[in-house]
Amino acid sequence: MGFWYFLILFAGIALIGAGAAKNDVSRSVKIVVMLFILGIVFIFISLVLFMPGSSEIISQLLDRN
């Protein structure tokens, strides 16, 4: 599971880097904003999943009883 968390973390960092690399935002403002938002969300989710006890929280959220 840790591999997938790192993958999400690195994908978020890559998306933020890709958004920051686009300097001519006049033609792609929406793409740049979406890359930043998606990157921040990916980083936040991966850091939450790395916290101790996150598996219990997720199992309680997904419990359908």
Side-chain angles (χ1 to χ4, degrees):
M1 287 294 232
F3 169 75
W4 297 108
Y5 302 159
F6 272 119
L7 188 65
I8 293 171
L9 177 67
F10 291 134
I13 292 171
L15 287 172
I16 287 179
K22 299 235 182 233
N23 290 333
D24 55 339
V25 292
S26 61
R27 66 183 172 102
S28 60
V29 173
K30 290 181 183 178
I31 294 172
V32 171
V33 170
M34 289 304 292
L35 286 175
F36 272 120
I37 291 173
L38 195 59
I40 290 170
V41 167
F42 276 10
I43 290 173
F44 177 74
I45 288 172
S46 68
L47 292 178
V48 166
L49 290 173
F50 275 126
M51 291 176 22
S54 65
S55 59
E56 289 85 14
I57 294 171
I58 293 172
S59 68
Q60 288 177 356
L61 288 173
L62 296 177
D63 188 27
R64 295 190 173 104
N65 290 334

